[in-house]
């Protein structure tokens, strides 16, 4: 069984994932193929059955384009393990259309949940003032808000939304979730359905978008949505840029209705240098990903499958 992965992934985890009966097909940064020892491989002689995508694919200088092109050309490919949480990438659809099973990962849930907590705390505590004063070697006290006792509405309770909710509750936050099928197991005080979202927006000090990009969520955050939010509230988007009407968001920020937009995703990525978001108060970050490759804090590789060479099938990690 032949498995395609990046050189970065193999260098990081090769010793841990090597198994008898698995032929590792390594793609280098320039898009060329080799075996684990570095001997060149002719693409015509390479026939991967499984491709393991890791987050390093989305880093600068990574072989993202040749990796996906090779998968699309590989007639025998049956499975692509994606490092992403969503399926909205058009290349994913192309793989599915050619019969490839595409599975996602929850590797992003923990780091993005921590990113959300840090970003909201930064805004509530006005930590930029401390950094500015420190750089100027000045001592001055300023007032700030506590997140304890605040209300957060989390739109989307998948892996990321759920981890944000758990951490927010630990800080004493009242969490209201929104998902299509509420569950008693949701880590929320209350969970509403999408058609009830309008009823809770006015309660939220923080609104967090963690829902997938679908036709139903396209431009979810429009002028009407924003007008229903609580004055002075904070909007956080760790979902997809398509969930927000950019013009409506800019208007809300310009008017002072929203105090801040914390945006980790945009309609166009990388964000153009002349985009209006560069001149108004959103706090932007370049589409947060986990560290270099898909690993947890202990350095173990994270995947949604474990390859069983005895049966040439895959079973859950």
């Amino acid at each position: 069984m032949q498995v395609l992965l990046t050189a970065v992934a193999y260098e990081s985890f090769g010793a841990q994932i090597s198994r008898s009966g698995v032929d590792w097909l390594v793609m280098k940064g320039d898009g060329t193929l080799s075996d684990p020892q570095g001997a060149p491989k002719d693409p015509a002689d390479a026939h991967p059955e499984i491709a393991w995508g890791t987050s390093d694919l989305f880093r600068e200088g990574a072989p993202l384009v040749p990796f996906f092109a090779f998968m699309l050309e590989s007639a025998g490919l049956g499975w692509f393990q994606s490092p992403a949480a969503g399926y909205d990438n058009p290349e994913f659809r192309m793989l599915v259309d050619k019969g490839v099973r595409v599975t996602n990962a929850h590797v992003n849930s923990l780091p993005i949940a921590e990113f959300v907590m840090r970003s909201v705390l930064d805004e509530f505590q006005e930590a930029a003032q401390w950094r500015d004063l420190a750089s100027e070697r000045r001592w001055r006290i300023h007032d700030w808000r506590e997140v304890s006792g605040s209300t957060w509405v989390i739109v989307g309770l998948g892996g990321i939304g759920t981890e944000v909710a758990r951490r927010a509750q630990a800080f004493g936050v009242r969490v209201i979730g929104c998902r299509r099928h509420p569950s008693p197991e949701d880590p929320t005080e209350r969970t509403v359905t999408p058609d009830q979202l309008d009823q809770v927006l006015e309660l939220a000090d923080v609104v967090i978008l963690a829902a997938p990009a679908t036709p139903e969520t396209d431009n979810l955050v429009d002028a009407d949505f924003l007008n229903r939010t609580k004055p002075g509230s904070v909007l956080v988007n760790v979902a997809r840029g398509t969930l927000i009407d950019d013009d409506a968001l800019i208007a809300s920020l310009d008017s002072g209705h929203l105090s801040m937009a914390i945006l980790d995703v945009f309609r166009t990525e990388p964000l153009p240098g002349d985009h209006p978001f560069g001149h108004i108060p959103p706090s932007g970050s370049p589409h947060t990903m986990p560290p270099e490759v898909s690993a947890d804090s202990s350095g173990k590789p994270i995947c949604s499958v474990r390859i069983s060479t005895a049966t040439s099938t895959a079973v859950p990690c």
Side-chain angles (χ1 to χ4, degrees):
M1 177 169 54
Q2 196 169 69
V3 180
L4 173 69
L5 76 171
T6 66
V8 171
Y10 191 80
E11 289 166 6
S12 301
F13 302 122
Q16 300 178 51
I17 61 179
S18 292
R19 298 289 187 276
S20 175
V22 178
D23 178 15
W24 299 102
L25 182 62
V26 179
M27 181 171 284
K28 299 180 179 179
D30 61 2
T32 58
L33 300 172
S34 74
D35 66 14
Q37 287 70 47
K41 280 268 195 178
D42 187 335
D45 298 327
H47 307 286
E49 299 168 55
I50 296 174
W52 179 29
T54 43
S55 58
D56 59 287
L57 272 171
F58 299 96
R59 306 280 176 165
E60 186 175 355
L64 179 64
V65 172
F67 195 95
F68 273 87
F70 185 63
M71 286 196 294
L72 290 168
E73 294 168 0
S74 299
L77 185 69
W79 189 353
F80 171 53
Q81 169 60 48
S82 167
Y87 289 100
D88 50 301
N89 188 307
E91 283 76 14
F92 293 173
R93 173 52 56 189
M94 294 169 68
L95 287 169
V96 171
D97 288 344
K98 73 186 294 284
V100 177
R101 175 182 293 178
V102 176
T103 53
N104 65 346
H106 297 298
V107 62
N108 300 296
S109 301
L110 298 181
I112 293 182
E114 292 180 4
F115 164 83
V116 170
M117 296 305 301
R118 183 208 62 79
S119 299
V120 175
L121 285 167
D122 210 53
E123 173 61 17
F124 271 47
Q125 296 178 350
E126 299 183 42
Q129 291 193 43
W130 287 322
R131 290 190 286 269
D132 290 343
L133 289 166
S135 68
E136 298 168 4
R137 304 184 70 84
R138 296 170 57 201
W139 180 288
R140 189 177 70 206
I141 296 172
H142 73 270
D143 293 329
W144 45 274
R145 301 171 61 189
E146 297 177 350
V147 296
S148 180
S150 64
T151 298
W152 295 14
V153 169
I154 302 177
V155 183
L157 286 175
I160 293 172
T162 294
E163 294 300 336
V164 172
R166 288 172 176 158
R167 282 155 181 75
Q169 285 189 325
F171 275 79
V173 171
R174 177 194 181 201
V175 177
I176 300 174
C178 177
R179 70 187 315 173
R180 286 178 296 175
H181 305 291
S183 166
E185 304 301 316
D186 292 339
T188 62
E189 178 179 300
R190 172 188 176 194
T191 303
V192 299
T193 54
D195 62 313
Q196 300 170 318
L197 181 58
D198 287 349
Q199 302 171 20
V200 297
L201 285 176
E202 64 181 5
L203 305 176
D205 298 290
V206 180
V207 178
I208 298 166
L209 306 178
T214 66
E216 292 74 26
T217 59
D218 187 57
N219 280 333
L220 170 69
V221 180
D222 56 13
D224 182 61
F225 181 107
L226 292 166
N227 288 337
R228 293 174 184 272
T229 59
K230 185 177 182 178
S233 59
V234 175
L235 176 70
V236 182
N237 188 10
V238 288
R240 289 293 185 266
T242 55
L243 271 68
I244 293 179
D245 178 334
D246 288 353
D247 291 337
L249 177 57
I250 291 169
S252 184
L253 289 165
D254 282 344
S255 71
H257 181 77
L258 278 184
S259 68
M260 175 61 76
I262 297 167
L263 308 177
D264 185 53
V265 287
F266 304 89
R267 284 186 177 271
T268 302
E269 297 180 359
L271 189 67
D274 60 351
H275 194 282
F277 285 157
H279 308 288
I280 56 174
S283 172
S285 55
H287 203 144
T288 299
M289 293 288 287
E292 184 69 14
V293 290
S294 303
D296 63 17
S297 58
S298 67
K300 296 178 181 178
I302 296 176
C303 59
S304 67
V305 297
R306 180 177 71 249
I307 298 169
S308 171
T309 56
T311 59
S312 294
T313 60
V315 295
C317 278

